[in-house]
Amino acid sequence: MSGPRHDAGAGMNAPPIDRFPVLRSTDVEHTREVVFRFVARHPVELVHPEAGVDAYINGRRLDRVGAAYLAFGAEARTHPGQLDFYVLQVVLAGTYAVWLDGHEVRAQPGAAIVLSPGPDVRTWWSADCAMLCFRVSAADYRDHLAGLLRRPLDEELRFEPAMDLLTGPGRDLNLGIVRPLTQRLNQVFGLVGNSVMIRQLEDTLLTGLLRAQPNTYSAQLR
């Protein structure tokens, strides 16, 4: 079995958020249980069950935003269905594919996928796939966007799913916000009890994604 490299790219030798481990397991059922409880309530299906898993999950929750590093160490499929949250999925290793109502989007290192509530979601992970995820509830993101617009929303917020992290606004988001935030999240004591700092970090990420990735409100946010 060829597992993922548990790192986050240049300059980072350990898995992201490694000071906040959630799971280290080669037990398939234990991995499924933790994923179901911690990540999202959906099952994990191994493409080759006899190969087993080498699963890693690290995670930390702030106030509105939850961050997690995930790697199954096995070729896997999941079926989250219709989401009630938004999630930025930054692929660090391997290949990740998503089907949104039957439309396929693939990502490898240097790319990300942004999922929105609405369509039926199915995913496929290569055995060496590893990713960093940032998740926020639909209600919290809508409130944040309404605050930026200074008015109630008149349509659902939807992001384009495929995101380039190597050029343009996606690169700026990755280098200027995602990587520094990931490093900050790995500090054990730096954010404890600092609600103002936590709010600022979350606002920076949520606003940055809205401005970097095409969505139904892009024109109004210029």
Side-chain angles (χ1 to χ4, degrees):
M1 176 172 58
S2 177
R5 291 176 57 236
H6 299 294
D7 63 63
M12 299 180 69
N13 297 318
I17 328 178
D18 63 306
R19 293 182 179 176
F20 297 86
V22 175
L23 175 72
R24 303 283 188 277
S25 182
T26 57
D27 184 287
V28 174
E29 291 307 317
H30 181 52
T31 298
R32 285 187 175 125
E33 177 186 342
V34 172
V35 169
F36 188 87
R37 184 179 70 248
F38 176 78
V39 181
R41 296 186 177 277
H42 61 266
V44 176
E45 173 194 351
L46 299 186
V47 177
H48 305 288
E50 70 282 356
V53 298
D54 179 20
Y56 276 62
I57 300 177
N58 301 328
R60 188 173 190 187
R61 181 159 187 88
L62 297 176
D63 179 17
R64 296 164 293 166
V65 173
Y69 167 80
L70 299 95
F72 293 126
E75 187 179 353
R77 300 187 184 99
T78 75
H79 184 195
Q82 291 186 328
L83 308 181
D84 60 358
F85 55 85
Y86 296 86
V87 59
L88 168 64
Q89 301 176 308
V90 179
V91 178
L92 305 176
T95 302
Y96 176 62
V98 175
W99 286 265
L100 304 170
D101 285 339
H103 174 67
E104 181 181 352
V105 182
R106 285 188 173 244
Q108 294 180 321
I113 291 179
V114 185
L115 298 180
S116 306
D120 181 72
V121 178
R122 294 177 180 269
T123 78
W124 173 83
W125 304 55
S126 67
D128 59 344
C129 182
M131 72 170 63
L132 180 65
C133 302
F134 295 90
R135 170 177 163 172
V136 60
S137 75
D140 282 338
Y141 216 155
R142 290 168 188 151
D143 287 347
H144 177 79
L145 176 56
L148 292 177
L149 298 173
R150 298 184 180 180
R151 62 170 176 80
L153 305 189
D154 51 20
E155 62 179 321
E156 288 297 319
L157 170 62
R158 296 274 189 272
F159 285 95
E160 290 291 329
M163 186 173 195
D164 176 14
L165 299 180
L166 297 180
T167 61
R171 181 179 185 273
D172 294 341
L173 178 77
N174 190 36
L175 296 181
I177 296 177
V178 170
R179 288 193 181 182
L181 174 59
T182 302
Q183 294 171 347
R184 192 69 178 268
L185 287 170
N186 211 28
Q187 297 174 2
V188 177
F189 301 109
L191 299 174
V192 174
N194 193 336
S195 59
V196 174
M197 177 63 71
I198 289 172
R199 188 84 182 182
Q200 290 175 343
L201 291 172
E202 291 179 328
D203 284 348
T204 298
L205 175 65
L206 298 178
T207 301
L209 181 58
L210 284 165
R211 297 190 183 282
Q213 183 65 358
N215 62 78
T216 49
Y217 286 87
S218 291
Q220 299 172 57
L221 289 168
R222 289 174 185 161

